Amino acid sequence: MSTETPRKVIAENRRARFDYFLEDYIEAGIQLLGTEIKALRDGRANIAESYAAVEGREIVLINSDIPPYKQANRFNHEPRRHRKLLLHRKQIDKLIGAVQRDGRTIIPVRLYLNERGKAKLEIALAKGKKLHDKREASAERDWQRDKARLLRDKG
């Protein structure tokens, strides 16, 4: 994950860690409209069901939900439109190669505003987990919780 702490986390995809093995984390900018950034500054967004896909030689964020800004009336944005991710060409080529060659998926992990007030998206290259992997992760989490409870009750 990134070393510096983001200023304000707007949305987090907590389910991603359960459904996927997350490998390479990359910080990406997002191309937004004026009303979208205002809605994000209000803290309203959902990236739980979203993913990033390759369109031509670009990476776009699909199925992310940024609800309409209340004060914008008729100049509002489309809530679930495709949004271009702003990355360096080398990063884009690396992601495209991993998706096409290795069958990886690009999953958004966190949407936040950085220190300068810019909207940033933390994405990760992901490999899908099988059902037995999910069961194993669930059993490990339950064991850690029980172990902590036993240690707390003991001493």
Side-chain angles (χ1 to χ4, degrees):
M1 286 213 215
S2 57
T3 54
E4 76 280 347
T5 57
R7 195 178 80 189
K8 180 182 177 188
V9 175
I10 300 164
E12 198 165 3
N13 190 353
R14 294 173 58 198
R15 181 103 182 140
R17 286 181 180 81
F18 182 73
D19 289 338
Y20 299 96
F21 293 112
L22 301 178
E23 295 166 356
D24 250 350
Y25 290 90
I26 300 172
E27 181 184 68
I30 315 171
Q31 192 174 41
L32 298 172
L33 299 174
T35 55
E36 289 175 327
I37 189 65
K38 289 180 180 186
L40 288 180
R41 287 191 177 131
D42 277 351
R44 303 176 62 217
N46 183 10
I47 59 168
E49 300 161 0
S50 62
Y51 61 97
V54 177
E55 282 188 7
R57 291 197 63 201
E58 297 178 343
I59 308 284
V60 293
L61 182 64
I62 298 173
N63 208 20
S64 64
D65 183 38
I66 299 177
Y69 184 59
K70 288 180 222 124
Q71 288 84 359
N73 64 34
R74 69 174 192 225
F75 299 110
N76 237 320
H77 61 273
E78 177 72 29
R80 286 193 180 264
R81 73 178 184 90
H82 294 192
R83 295 169 179 91
K84 180 180 169 184
L85 294 182
L86 307 174
L87 294 159
H88 294 285
R89 175 55 49 200
K90 280 186 176 180
Q91 291 174 322
I92 292 172
D93 292 340
K94 177 183 170 189
L95 290 172
I96 290 173
V99 167
Q100 291 175 346
R101 191 176 49 251
D102 304 332
R104 300 281 193 257
T105 308
I106 306 169
I107 300 292
V109 180
R110 254 189 326 174
L111 177 64
Y112 59 92
L113 296 174
N114 69 0
E115 309 80 43
R116 298 176 56 204
K118 307 281 187 195
K120 298 292 180 179
L121 183 70
E122 186 176 39
I123 58 175
L125 270 175
K127 180 180 162 191
K129 284 186 180 180
K130 303 279 191 251
L131 185 59
H132 62 88
D133 293 327
K134 292 179 186 179
R135 284 189 193 133
E136 188 177 302
S138 183
E140 177 66 25
R141 187 178 59 237
D142 291 345
W143 165 241
Q144 292 299 329
R145 186 175 50 233
D146 291 344
K147 186 169 71 171
R149 186 180 305 131
L150 288 171
L151 289 173
R152 188 182 63 229
D153 291 344
K154 199 175 228 183

